[in-house]
Every structure is written in structure tokens, then in C-alpha cells.
């Protein structure tokens, strides 16, 4: 379910009158996405995506997200580019919500990740990081290490209902992660996507039928943090099989393509195992929070937090970066 | 939520290879629709809708639905036209489901019905009925009068939990409707849409900015039944305000435009009040069934059956057709 706010057709027409996008041709809700309401919008000038920002997005942070997308698109990255209205403003209001129109990106996200997706992903991630280097904005990672302990506290009372002993295991694991976390200034920092899951990356067939990245979407967790942490998110999101076994071929492909475009320092490589544990506990904790705080009848798909316990335990056994495929 | 079955990208490519639709450009789930999984599909040859038929659609009935759409589109009606594969077949299989690709229709469905929508709706409904006259197929209305008593029985044990006394009221009302229902052979019969709600009718701006119908979709309740019953469904679906007051201006606009294209007999006009009661109880009963048979945690939006009790009670007080706006 990805349409939370419905848009009256008169309101839509009035909204579009503020743009130079031609006449309205079609308007359909998009099923993908869980945080915001997304509509596929077709006008006589082309295809666009209209997004209404829902409660989980902080309005004050929207200028950062939209500014980053504009910056990255201007650097040639295939990401949604916010479209300004006639007054030059991209961030507007529709149906009582902050709203924006962005360019439509072609492609299909991979329902099942194949090894051939992984090198293009690694290249695209490195290009995203490089393109963001001269972006002037910044945003703290609200779901980074400083946010994990409060999330765990919020799950303390009911977390063991999901699995007996879960909270004690997470207490110990989180303490270990935070103790090993890279000190400020030791690793390169920049604008990271922070949520680069397969459903946020579109592919099309390139030469010889090999997949190429045609679009990276959903920058609404983007923030300023360790670049290598974004790599760790991808290793979590792209390199585990449905049975939770770690596919080192995929990991090697992501990493090799990434470092070919943006070389990683020895410190970054050495930090990868703890960054992977951090990324695993981040998704585990937000899923656990949603799981324990969502009323049973609510119209959202709750994702199983224990999927990330499996990943967390795998990464807990890794010491060097060699086992990750580098 | 309108994507129940996810489609692997390799399976999609293999499926598209059976068509002459060019190369895949984009593929997004559509949020609208509750019975089937719908995807917006873009290829180098244009925009299409891919539908996977889910459990509530009987596979044996799909040739009727697709054949009717092909027939109506061939007669010039703006409805989805099934696209045949290279072997001439439109009904195929994808991801273990029956599946078909249809043409994409422009337009926006009206979130709030205005009087200006009603005349174009009436005209389009009459054109649908006329275009269907020479269609060779037929399908009984499984949610018609013969189906209402079984539906009510299936709700008997838990229906009063929705509202005390509801089942007794429906028993009495249904008996009255069935006693007054037009005898076979007295009213014209043809192919009807049977579910022509606002979200199944797309509009675009026509001359002078007046809305014109650009598409009628979702023929998966279509059947062979009284043409005037389809009018009664529209009076239920288009002519009540959010406070459940009946808007006679809208009803008059629907009816006047309809009869201008397909004149109704005196018997049809006289039958409209009981047909309206029938349409109201049909949607009340299917909603009540879903309400009482859907587990509380299920990921579907349950629609309030009592919305149709309000309509049913309004139509119960109508004797002639004059109060309906004719």
C-alpha cells in the first residue's frame, strides 16, 4: 500500500497549473514504496512521479533530500530530478501534504538479485558518492549509531515476544558494535543513500543483455555519514540468498566494482565487518520497532525483524574483510 | 494494495518475448484495484497494463471478460483492449497466474463526483450497452438476485455484530426486492458492466474544460443481465453525497444522457426503484460478507457495509421513477 493520501482531481489540476508540464493525461497510484504516497503522472510533456510526503518524513528535511537529488542528477546520476514550478520552487503542497514532482526513471527493480546486478550496483553506488562530494547540504543520520540504543530501549518491553532472549542478545551485540565503531574523522564521510535496497534500483538491459543501472530512487533516508557504511547496507541488502546464506560472489562483485570507481582505504576495508553489523542491527531495530508498535489490524506489511538477526549473526562471525569478498 | 503476486524480472522478460511490444522500459505496480494485481508496463511501443488474475476471478470466465473487452473496443468504446501474443492468444500465464496485457487508457478517475461527470457517464454507459448488443458471449450474474439470499445466509451468524437488527432488516427488505423483481423477459437484457463505480471511469478535459469519458475499466464483474440494472448501479455509485444524501441533479444528468442514447421503456423506468434497491443490497451484502469473513489482521481495506444500508433505506422510500430524477 503506497497511497495514503488521495488527491482530488480538481486539486491535482490546480497543482499542475503551477508547473509548465503541459496537459494532464493520466494519474495512477503506485503500489511500491512504504513511506510516502507516490503517483505515476503522465502529461503531454512526458512521464513524472508525484510524491506526497507522509508523516514519517520530517518536512524540515525535505529541502536536503530534494536538493541532494537535484545535485546528483545535475552530476549525471540517474536519480529522480525535482521539477520546479513556474515560481522556481520544487517543494510545494498538495492535499495538505508537502509534495513534489520528479522526473520518471525507466527500468525495473530486480525481484531476485543475480550476480550480474552486483557490479553495476557497486559502480552506481561509487558514482553516487563521488557525485555527492561537492554537495553543500548535510543531514545527520538519525538512524545511525547514535539512534540505535534509543530504538532498542523503545523495543525493550515487547521485543522478547518476537523471540525469547532477543533483547539480551541485541544488548550484547549492540555494545560490541558501538565499541568497535570507527571514531569520527577516521573514515571518509559524504552524502549516502542509506537505504539502497533492490527495490530502489532500476535496471535495464545494456549491451549483450547485461543489466545496467537506469535509476536510483527513494533518497528519503539519505544523510551525511561514512561512505563505507552505504557499502555495508548494500552487502546486507543485495548479498544474502533467500535462505540467508551469504553469497560471496555477489559481495565480491559489489566491492570490486565500487573500489574500481572509488578506492577504499585500508581503514575502510578493515571497518567493513563492523559496518555490516551496524547496518544489520539498524534494519533489525527499525523493523522490530515497527513490529512491536504496529497495531495488528493496521494496513501495512510488517517486515520480519528476524531476517536481520540472521544477517547480524553472520557478520558477527567475520573478522577481516577477506570473508566479505574483498 | 493491488499487487498480490510479484513478478520476477526474468519471468517478465520471458513473458514479453511472446508479444510484439518492443523492449521493456518500465514496470511499476499500480495501487488501484482490489481484485487483481495490476502493473503499469512501458515498452518502446507505448504504455500497457499487465493484469495477473487473482483468486477471486474464476479462470473459466476470463475468456468472456477479455472477449467482451475486445468486442467493445472494436466497436469504439474506450475500454482496455486485450493484446494478443505472437500466437494470437491474449490470455496467457505469468507467475503461476492467468495474465493478460491490455491497452493503457488515459484519464483520471474522479475522486469527488461533480454534476458535470454525470452526463458523460450516462452517455458512456448507454454506448457500452449498445456496443455489447451483438456480442456472442454470455455470463450469468453470479452476484445478481439469485445470489443475494445465499450471501445473506453466509452472513447470518455474525451480521448483527456489525449492527444489531441488521439481519432481520435485510431479511425483510430482500424479500420485498425479490417479490418485486422484474420477471424474465419483461426488460431488455444485454452485457452489463455491473461495477461502474467512479474509480472505474477515467475522464479528461474536453472542449470548454468539460469532462469527457476517456476510459472505462475493470470488466471483471461484467455479465449478461438487465441493462437498467447497470443504470441502477450507477445511481448508487455516483449520485450519493458523502453524507449519503441523494443528489437528484446528478441522477437526472445520468438518466437523461443515458436515455438520449438508449431510450428506456416505460417498464424499465417503472422498475428503476426496485433495481436501485437491488443494486444497494448487492453491494451491502458483498461488503457485509467481506467484513464478517475477513480476519482482522488481513491486508485489505474492508469497506463499510452500512454505507449501503443508508442507500437501501433511501431507495426503499421511493415508489415511482420521478423521485430519481427521470
Amino acid at each position: 500500500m503506497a497511497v495514503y493520501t488521495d488527491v482530488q482531481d480538481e486539486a491535482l489540476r490546480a497543482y499542475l497549473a503551477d508547473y509548465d508540464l503541459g496537459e494532464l493525461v493520466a494519474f495512477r497510484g503506485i503500489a511500491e514504496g512504504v513511506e510516502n504516497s507516490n503517483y505515476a503522472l503522465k502529461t503531454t510533456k512526458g512521464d513524472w512521479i508525484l510524491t506526497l510526503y507522509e508523516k514519517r518524513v520530517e518536512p524540515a528535511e525535505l529541502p536536503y533530500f530534494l536538493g541532494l537529488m537535484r545535485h546528483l542528477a545535475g552530476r549525471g546520476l540517474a536519480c529522480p530530478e525535482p521539477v520546479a514550478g513556474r515560481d522556481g520552487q520544487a517543494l510545494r503542497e498538495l492535499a495538505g501534504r508537502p509534495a513534489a514532482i520528479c522526473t520518471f526513471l525507466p527500468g525495473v527493480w530486480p525481484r531476485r538479485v543475480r550476480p550480474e546486478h552486483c557490479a553495476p550496483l557497486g559502480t552506481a553506488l561509487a558514482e553516487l558518492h563521488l557525485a555527492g562530494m561537492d554537495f553543500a547540504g548535510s543531514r545527520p543520520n538519525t538512524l545511525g549509531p547514535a539512534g540505535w540504543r534509543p530504538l532498542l530501549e523503545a523495543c525493550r518491553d515487547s521485543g522478547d515476544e518476537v523471540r525469547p532472549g532477543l533483547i539480551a542478545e541485541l544488548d550484547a551485540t549492540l555494545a560490541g558494535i558501538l565499541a568497535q565503531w570507527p571514531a569520527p574523522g577516521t573514515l571518509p564521510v559524504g552524502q549516502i543513500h542509506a537505504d539502497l535496497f533492490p527495490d530502489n534500483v532500476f535496471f535495464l538491459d545494456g549491451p549483450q543483455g547485461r543489466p545496467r543501472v537506469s535509476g536510483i530512487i527513494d533518497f528519503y533516508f539519505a544523510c551525511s555519514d561514512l561512505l563505507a557504511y552505504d557499502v555495508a547496507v548494500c552487502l546486507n541488502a543485495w548479498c544474502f540468498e533467500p535462505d540467508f546464506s551469504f553469497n560471496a560472489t555477489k559481495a565480491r562483485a559489489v566491492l570490486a566494482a565500487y573500489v574500481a570507481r572509488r578506492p577504499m582505504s585500508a581503514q575502510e576495508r578493515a571497518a567493513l565487518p563492523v559496518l555490516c553489523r551496524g547496518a544489520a542491527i539498524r534494519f533489525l531495530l527499525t523493523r522490530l520497532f515497527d513490529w512491536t508498535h504496529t497495531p495488528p489490524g493496521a494496513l501495512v506489511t510488517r517486515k520480519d525483524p528476524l531476517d536481520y538477526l540472521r544477517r547480524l549473526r553472520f557478520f558477527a562471525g567475520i573478522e577481516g574483510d577477506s570473508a566479505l569478498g574483498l
Side-chain angles (χ1 to χ4, degrees), chain A residues 276-326:
Chain A
C276 286
R277 290 199 284 280
I281 208 164
R282 171 258 184 266
F283 291 103
L284 193 163
L285 287 171
T286 51
R287 286 184 172 198
L288 184 63
F289 182 88
D290 290 346
W291 195 272
T292 55
H293 291 75
T294 303
L299 286 170
V300 294
T301 310
R302 299 190 304 176
K303 294 179 179 169
D304 190 348
L306 299 179
D307 290 358
Y308 278 84
L309 186 62
R310 306 284 294 267
R311 289 169 165 83
L312 185 59
R313 286 175 173 177
F314 170 79
F315 288 124
I318 300 294
E319 275 312 315
D321 58 353
S322 59
L324 295 174
L326 247 188

Side-chain angles (χ1 to χ4, degrees), chain A residues 196-207:
Chain A
L196 203 55
F197 277 68
D199 56 345
N200 287 332
V201 185
F202 297 149
F203 290 85
L204 281 176
D205 285 346

